[in-house]
Amino acid sequence: MRMNFTPQQLTAFLHLARSGSFGEAARLHGVSQPALSRTIQQMEAALGRRLFDRTTRSVVPTPTGLELRRIAEALVAEFDSAADDLARFVEGRSGRVAVAALPSIAAVLLPPAIARFREGRPDVEIEVRDGLSGSVLEAVSGGGADLGLTIRPPHPQAALVYRSLLSDEFGLVCRPGDAPGGEGPLPWSVFQGRPFIAMAAASSVRQMTDAAFLQAGLAVPPLYGCAFLGTVGHMVATGLGVTALPRLTLSLLGPFDLAWRRLERPVMRRSMGIVTRAGRSPAPAVLEFLAQLERQAKSLR
Amino acid sequence: MRMNFTPQQLTAFLHLARSGSFGEAARLHGVSQPALSRTIQQMEAALGRRLFDRTTRSVVPTPTGLELRRIAEALVAEFDSAADDLARFVEGRSGRVAVAALPSIAAVLLPPAIARFREGRPDVEIEVRDGLSGSVLEAVSGGGADLGLTIRPPHPQAALVYRSLLSDEFGLVCRPGDAPGGEGPLPWSVFQGRPFIAMAAASSVRQMTDAAFLQAGLAVPPLYGCAFLGTVGHMVATGLGVTALPRLTLSLLGPFDLAWRRLERPVMRRSMGIVTRAGRSPAPAVLEFLAQLERQAKSLR
DNA sequence: TATATTGATAACCGATGCGCATGAATTTCA
DNA sequence: TGAAATTCATGCGCATCGGTTATCAATATA
């Protein structure tokens, strides 16, 4: 004897057990009375036992009916709660979002995006793993992160998809008094003869400043090779030198009064965007978070 | 979004999630591969999300797939266990049997029936409520007992069904030396001139001995009016008198050496049987118990 | 480049579930 | 007492669903 009742059947049964009337139960269940009658008959046939002793005037559960009711009440509750859990997950109201991000992007883009995202989604866990460009791509392609916030990958990988969110121009960063006069953009040659505070060789900023100097045909010695923007901020503020940074990183330098002037020849743009795994469906919560990121980026553009 | 998956769908899904192959999962699930393919597609359509990212070469669960797997494993386990519970009940291997019985019948018929019945059915609770004829019928018709063991009810009630199990003849009970000589049956007139130890007026035995004397046109004064057979046994064994009892009650008189001789003119038979509620399906365990009682009665006949 | 494997799709078909109309049994009420 | 009303069961027609077989498309393998 294999009971193989569907949740539909069980709730139909419960409606009848609770109401004690086929007509009423059918109404509650949203089907016609004959349909409900048949449903119960089928269940009885499947069990080989009556579930209700019924005349045209009364519907009384048999002992088997009482037992099934006990069981079905619990089962249907489980089922509903499971359906609820799944719905919450599918609607992105529960789950987990693991973000790998470059520190400079994480600091600018993530805090407001997370703040907004969590409004109304208190049950979504968010994990942020910040690291340099290589580790971001690695985390995403390895499955450790659902999405990565990074600059456009230099060597496009088949397993990863990159979508640009916003681009950020490089500019000279210095103490307010140290900038050449005027208002317009400055050429990269402005660094000739000034101490250039460089970022660590592995950092994405450093790679772009190197490229800029190369393109401009300049030989500017990189000093210090700092890993953290905060350190750079302190150094510039102290007057140890100047540097070149994308505009959006300014706030990461610290609470100093620093000047920023756009650089050209060449104009360097750091394209920041999202990497995800190709051919993999993200979790609903991740999709929602991606949408939030897009909105966030648009508001910064 | 209302998830309304059937256990069928969920187990199909689990087979796929576990095996990672549509072909294998279909085999496990006992359907063709296209059928399984469509089942999954339907579930995905219902959720509005993919459950597996699949190419012709790989089947990888999406985060939603993983979440559903977590949920479905638990749910299907619940379902199976519920099906199991119900099956045990329906097969009469769990549940409860409440028996109301006349003490004289309970003592004879019930112990061996219960002993046999419990072999292999350790999870069925059995409750025995012994009382006089009236309370037995009351317990059954009121629902307090699933079945009653009693004599044929004098006033057949519409709500109750009586089925005879066995009938038991009345005989003279006395000390071995006190019986008239010979082997054959004795007439009820044998009690004339002998002190007749009677049962309490409400008891079924007393009603039948009264009826017998009436039928035989005898005036035998009833002595004592005992409520318990054990008391009667002591009295007879002590030589206070003799009595008339159905054969099967002999063992209830106590560990005395007593003689029993069939009585005739009239032959009195106590029909013992089962009463159940009319139009009510008994619990499966009750049906099994009834069957056991029938076997038991047959072996005594 | 040919072959094998694997999931998706198409076409078809029987089973199932539902609603409507109706029947049968029983209570209610005139 | 008999007609009306109530309530569950049944017969029938129809749409839907789930299943199978045959086949296609994509990809790994030899």
Side-chain angles (χ1 to χ4, degrees):
Chain A
M1 203 282 302
R2 189 89 213 110
M3 148 174 136
N4 225 351
F5 296 145
T6 66
Q8 293 285 348
Q9 285 176 302
L10 290 178
T11 56
F13 165 83
L14 285 180
H15 280 135
L16 180 55
R18 292 185 190 131
S19 71
S21 148
F22 278 77
E24 175 69 2
R27 206 183 55 72
L28 290 171
H29 194 56
V31 296
S32 69
Q33 173 264 316
L36 188 97
S37 213
R38 282 239 168 71
T39 300
I40 301 299
Q41 285 174 24
Q42 282 164 329
M43 296 176 74
E44 290 178 330
L47 287 177
R49 311 226 93 102
R50 306 222 103 199
L51 292 168
F52 298 91
D53 286 319
R54 42 198 185 275
T55 66
T56 53
R57 228 54 200 175
S58 70
V59 177
V60 181
T62 63
T64 306
L66 290 175
E67 182 72 4
L68 179 58
R69 176 171 183 176
R70 219 177 47 75
I71 291 173
E73 297 270 18
L75 208 49
V76 167
E78 286 284 336
F79 218 89
D80 285 349
S81 131
D84 216 62
D85 285 354
L86 187 60
R88 282 164 27 81
F89 186 92
V90 165
E91 287 162 11
R93 284 163 37 229
S94 77
R96 193 165 164 283
V97 179
V99 185
L102 293 186
S104 57
I105 301 182
V108 173
L109 221 45
L110 279 183
I114 291 177
R116 285 280 189 84
F117 180 78
R118 288 193 65 100
E119 286 170 17
R121 294 188 194 83
D123 296 340
V124 179
E125 276 182 63
I126 299 184
E127 187 191 322
V128 176
R129 186 188 304 187
D130 55 349
L132 298 187
S133 172
S135 77
V136 168
L137 298 181
E138 202 173 289
V140 173
S141 61
D146 297 303
L147 61 113
L149 288 175
T150 181
I151 58 170
R152 181 187 301 280
H155 318 291
Q157 290 178 246
L160 295 180
V161 178
Y162 174 84
R163 196 153 31 106
S164 177
L165 271 185
L166 51 81
S167 74
D168 197 2
E169 257 176 330
F170 273 78
L172 164 73
V173 178
C174 61
R175 288 190 297 189
D178 295 349
E183 278 289 318
L186 300 168
W188 282 83
S189 57
V190 72
F191 291 107
Q192 271 183 321
R194 298 178 201 254
F196 180 77
I197 301 172
M199 299 283 300
S203 76
S204 61
V205 167
R206 170 65 177 275
Q207 281 160 19
M208 296 202 71
T209 55
D210 283 356
F213 289 131
L214 194 65
Q215 244 178 287
L218 301 169
V220 175
L223 304 177
Y224 311 121
C226 300
F228 298 101
L229 285 169
T231 315
V232 174
H234 271 279
M235 291 176 143
V236 173
T238 315
L240 287 182
V242 298
T243 190
L245 287 173
R247 193 193 232 297
L248 292 176
T249 61
L250 265 191
S251 60
L252 305 176
L253 294 179
F256 309 119
D257 182 26
L258 296 177
W260 184 89
R261 288 278 292 281
R262 204 143 71 79
L263 285 162
E264 60 183 12
R265 269 171 283 156
V267 168
M268 294 301 287
R269 296 187 157 278
R270 187 168 80 143
S271 165
M272 300 182 295
I274 296 169
V275 286
T276 49
R277 291 179 88 174
R280 292 301 190 89
S281 309
V286 171
L287 287 175
E288 298 280 309
F289 189 73
L290 287 171
Q292 181 58 46
L293 277 175
E294 306 249 13
R295 278 195 294 277
Q296 206 62 40
K298 194 172 288 178
S299 77
L300 281 178
R301 225 170 338 196
Chain B
M1 201 282 302
R2 188 88 213 112
M3 148 175 136
N4 225 351
F5 297 145
T6 66
Q8 293 285 345
Q9 285 177 302
L10 290 178
T11 57
F13 166 83
L14 285 179
H15 280 134
L16 179 55
R18 291 184 190 132
S19 71
S21 149
F22 276 77
E24 176 70 2
R27 204 183 56 72
L28 290 171
H29 194 56
V31 297
S32 68
Q33 172 263 314
L36 187 98
S37 213
R38 263 227 303 245
T39 300
I40 302 298
Q41 285 173 25
Q42 283 164 337
M43 296 177 74
E44 290 177 330
L47 288 177
R49 311 226 93 102
R50 307 223 102 199
L51 292 168
F52 298 91
D53 286 319
R54 41 200 186 273
T55 66
T56 52
R57 228 52 199 178
S58 69
V59 177
V60 181
T62 63
T64 306
L66 290 176
E67 182 71 3
L68 179 58
R69 175 171 184 176
R70 218 176 48 73
I71 291 171
E73 297 270 17
L75 210 48
V76 167
E78 287 283 337
F79 223 91
D80 285 349
S81 130
D84 217 61
D85 285 354
L86 187 60
R88 283 165 26 83
F89 186 92
V90 165
E91 288 161 11
R93 284 163 39 230
S94 76
R96 192 164 165 284
V97 179
V99 185
L102 293 186
S104 57
I105 302 182
V108 172
L109 221 46
L110 279 181
I114 290 176
R116 284 280 189 83
F117 181 77
R118 288 194 65 99
E119 284 169 19
R121 294 188 194 83
D123 296 341
V124 179
E125 275 182 62
I126 299 184
E127 187 191 322
V128 176
R129 186 187 307 186
D130 55 350
L132 298 188
S133 173
S135 76
V136 167
L137 298 182
E138 202 174 291
V140 173
S141 61
D146 297 302
L147 61 114
L149 288 174
T150 181
I151 57 171
R152 181 188 301 280
H155 318 292
Q157 289 180 245
L160 294 179
V161 178
Y162 174 83
R163 195 153 31 103
S164 177
L165 271 184
L166 51 82
S167 72
D168 198 2
E169 257 173 331
F170 273 76
L172 164 73
V173 178
C174 60
R175 290 190 297 190
D178 293 348
E183 277 291 318
L186 300 170
W188 282 83
S189 57
V190 73
F191 291 107
Q192 271 182 319
R194 298 179 199 253
F196 180 75
I197 301 173
M199 299 284 298
S203 76
S204 62
V205 165
R206 169 66 176 276
Q207 280 159 20
M208 296 202 72
T209 55
D210 282 358
F213 289 131
L214 193 66
Q215 245 179 286
L218 301 171
V220 175
L223 305 178
Y224 311 122
C226 300
F228 298 100
L229 285 169
T231 314
V232 174
H234 271 279
M235 291 177 142
V236 173
T238 314
L240 286 183
V242 298
T243 190
L245 287 173
R247 192 194 231 300
L248 293 175
T249 61
L250 265 191
S251 60
L252 304 176
L253 294 180
F256 310 117
D257 183 25
L258 294 177
W260 184 89
R261 288 278 292 281
R262 200 143 72 82
L263 285 163
E264 61 184 10
R265 267 173 283 157
V267 169
M268 294 301 286
R269 297 186 157 278
R270 188 167 80 144
S271 166
M272 300 183 295
I274 296 169
V275 286
T276 49
R277 290 179 89 175
R280 292 300 191 89
S281 309
V286 171
L287 288 175
E288 299 278 311
F289 190 72
L290 287 171
Q292 180 58 48
L293 277 176
E294 306 250 14
R295 279 195 294 276
Q296 206 62 41
K298 194 172 287 176
S299 78
L300 281 179
R301 226 171 335 191

